Every structure is written in C-alpha cells, then in structure tokens.
Amino acid sequence: SDTIEDPYKVYKRRNLYKDIEKKNFISLLNAYKESLVNNDFDELEKLVMGCLNMNSIDLSQLEVNVGKIESSSMPINDSDRFCSFVKDKLRGQSQSAQVHIITDNCGLELISDILIGSYLIRMTEVTDVVFHIKKLPIFVSDTIMSDVDDAIEVLNDKLNGSTEFILTSDSTGKRTYKCHDINDKTLIFKADDIWHRETLFKDVAEFETWNSDDSCALIIVKGDLNYRRLVGDYHWHNSVPIADKVSYIRKPLLIIRSLKSNVILDVKPETVKRLDKSAPNWKISGQHGIIQFLENK
C-alpha cells in the first residue's frame, strides 16, 4: 500500500476520468487494440508518439492547453530507429530481457507507459517491464502507487471490456501484474524515494546495477525533470552531444519528453535557429517534444 495518503488523489481521479475522452488518448488506445488484433509491429510508432503526447501537459500547469505534438515540431525524433531496435534486437534476443521505465506523470501518461510496456511484453522476448515510481507526490501529477490502481482500472474498463491486467503480487512498495493471457511475463511497479529526490542520475546506484545486469535490455526515461536529472541541470549549449553526458549509462536508452525547460542537448544548430525564429518559447511551452534513442552504448 501507499506510505502516505495522496493529498491530490481526488483531483487526479477527476481529471483522469475526464481526460480519457480526449481524442489523443482514444487514438492511442485504438493503436494498442490494433496491435493486439494484428500481432505485428505496425502500431509501435503510434504508441511511442502517443506516449510523447500524453507527456505534453501535467496537472501543475493549470492554464496550459497543449495540442497534439507533430513530427514537424520535434527537434529530435528517433522513433523510427527505436522501432527498428525493438523489431530487430528485442524481438530476436535468445535470452530473457528486462526493461526499466522511469515514470513521470500519472493519468494518461502513466497509462501510455503501461501500454508501451505491455506491447513490449507481447511482441518481444522481454519478460519483465519494471516501472519505477515515486513514493510521494512532490508535484501534483507525480505517479505513486495509488495512481497505478486508477490506471489499471481504466485500462481494464477500456480494453474491449475484458480484464487485460491482473494483479498477481502486492507487497510494500511493489506490485506485480500480468497480462490476462500471458502467465510467464510481468509488469512490475516499484516505489522508491530516490525518484522524487534531486539527485542527478549519474549518482543514482540503480543505473550501475542495470549496467551490470545482462538481462537489462533497455532503459526508458520519461519527462522533463527526469531529463534534467539525466544530463545535469546546467546551461548546456544545445549542440552538446548527449552521449557525452549520459556515458554512465551503458544500456540502450530511450528518452521521451515534452519540452518545459531550457535544458536540451544534441540539437542541430540549424534546427535551433529555425525554432528560435518560428516559436521563440519552444524550449518551455510544452508544445514541442523529443523522442531520442541511444543504442550503441
């Protein structure tokens, strides 16, 4: 169970059940349903883009109305490279694999994370997807364990009227679910206070643990604040290669983030110039985003 009573719970639930009627979310859910029916990789890029769009706004931004993020407004978009990695590498692995997702916001964004995790379990040799969530909500939208319950409730209601996700284990700070028709693969939710602290990721011991784990096949980092913890919250020049700043991670790394702060690396100078002219607040508006994939670690 949760270590605290979430003071934002009523507000979160009210917004979640209002947001599930939004077109962006319905499109994401339909893409996942199509992947179940067709059992192929055609829907993966839609799921990844949907995951970005669900990150475009959180409940702490009360007056922001963000539309759908299009490819044209993305200074970095490696979604095609990531999809190729999933099809060519994760699918063909000879040993069991594990994926770690450092989550960000609750609600629709958490649901999109769960759909990505479920997709990887269904379509590849990935056996476990571990979602790393916070123990307490520093910001309104931060995901804690009670938000997982609400997300699973919505998904089980919306996915063809069947119970897609079944709780198999529940202990303090950890819950395990399985897809209803897959017995030997799991979605694991782990709460830890390291994820709501200010510590830069280069100083977080979990990353070195994953580096040493042969089964760790992919790390996914979600959201703007996690991005700043990933690269260092400094005044980097936008063209600085991100690989230089995340060299402490030696596993394939996927970054999904809408831009809500000035810290962004690895953007081509001509792209910066174009966006500075067409949308001067592109780094902070939440209307632009990145999908960045680093495979050769």
Side-chain angles (χ1 to χ4, degrees):
S1 61
D2 289 331
T3 56
I4 65 161
E5 183 68 29
D6 187 355
Y8 309 122
K9 183 173 180 61
V10 173
Y11 182 56
K12 286 176 170 180
R13 281 183 61 89
R14 183 171 67 243
N15 279 274
L16 171 61
Y17 281 89
K18 179 179 66 176
D19 289 346
I20 57 177
E21 304 304 324
K22 291 183 176 180
K23 290 182 179 179
N24 285 358
F25 175 67
I26 294 172
S27 296
L28 174 68
L29 203 62
N30 287 338
Y32 180 77
K33 290 179 180 179
E34 285 295 319
S35 75
L36 296 184
V37 172
N38 298 326
N39 196 34
D40 60 27
F41 288 89
D42 291 344
E43 307 301 323
L44 178 54
E45 189 164 357
K46 294 179 185 177
L47 290 176
V48 176
M49 283 297 297
C51 213
L52 171 63
N53 276 292
M54 297 305 105
N55 180 248
S56 63
I57 189 169
D58 59 53
L59 298 179
S60 63
Q61 296 174 293
L62 299 180
E63 301 300 327
V64 179
N65 183 17
V66 178
K68 184 178 179 181
I69 296 175
E70 304 287 353
S71 296
S72 59
S73 61
M74 296 175 63
I76 301 170
N77 184 3
D78 295 336
S79 57
D80 56 343
R81 290 182 50 244
F82 173 68
C83 292
S84 295
F85 166 79
V86 171
K87 289 184 282 188
D88 298 338
K89 301 292 179 64
L90 289 189
R91 178 175 56 173
Q93 291 213 148
S94 58
Q95 63 181 31
S96 62
Q98 192 170 70
V99 173
H100 294 273
I101 302 179
I102 302 174
T103 64
D104 186 26
N105 296 319
C106 63
L108 297 190
E109 182 177 350
L110 175 61
I111 287 176
S112 72
D113 298 340
I114 295 171
L115 293 180
I116 287 285
S118 175
Y119 181 94
L120 294 175
I121 274 180
R122 287 185 171 279
M123 300 298 293
T124 74
E125 274 63 56
V126 169
T127 54
D128 303 292
V129 177
V130 185
F131 300 83
H132 298 276
I133 65 176
K134 300 175 178 68
K135 274 193 174 180
L136 59 110
I138 300 299
F139 294 99
V140 177
S141 298
D142 287 344
T143 295
I144 64 173
M145 200 64 81
S146 60
D147 300 313
V148 175
D149 300 336
D150 294 337
I152 295 293
E153 178 184 294
V154 165
L155 281 171
N156 282 341
D157 180 59
K158 292 291 183 180
L159 289 173
N160 301 320
S162 62
T163 301
E164 173 72 6
F165 302 101
I166 300 171
L167 180 67
T168 61
S169 176
D170 185 6
S171 58
T172 301
K174 182 178 178 181
R175 289 183 194 169
T176 301
Y177 287 83
K178 72 178 183 70
C179 298
H180 77 283
D181 55 343
I182 304 177
N183 290 320
D184 58 346
K185 297 187 175 188
T186 58
L187 303 171
I188 303 168
F189 297 84
K190 294 178 67 175
D192 196 300
D193 60 7
I194 190 62
W195 305 117
H196 63 248
R197 297 188 181 277
E198 73 284 356
T199 314
L200 295 179
F201 285 169
K202 67 182 180 64
D203 299 318
V204 172
E206 277 78 356
F207 287 94
E208 190 53 44
T209 300
W210 300 336
N211 286 336
S212 304
D213 183 358
D214 290 340
S215 68
C216 178
L218 174 67
I219 298 170
I220 301 176
V221 174
K222 296 290 305 295
D224 191 83
L225 179 55
N226 283 333
Y227 180 90
R228 285 179 275 153
R229 294 179 70 189
L230 182 72
V231 303
D233 200 357
Y234 305 114
H235 292 290
W236 300 119
H237 193 284
N238 298 141
S239 63
V240 170
I242 192 172
D244 294 348
K245 304 306 173 187
V246 297
S247 58
Y248 59 92
I249 298 176
R250 301 190 295 277
K251 297 290 184 176
L253 172 65
L254 176 67
I255 301 164
I256 301 176
R257 170 210 180 194
S258 62
L259 305 183
K260 302 170 191 172
S261 70
N262 286 305
V263 181
I264 179 169
L265 282 66
D266 225 353
V267 183
K268 296 177 180 178
E270 58 268 26
T271 301
V272 174
K273 185 177 181 179
R274 173 177 58 82
L275 290 172
D276 281 346
K277 183 177 181 179
S278 63
N281 66 341
W282 65 277
K283 297 177 187 175
I284 61 173
S285 67
Q287 299 184 41
H288 297 72
I290 63 171
I291 296 171
Q292 192 163 22
F293 181 57
L294 291 82
E295 178 181 359
N296 299 317
K297 301 299 295 175

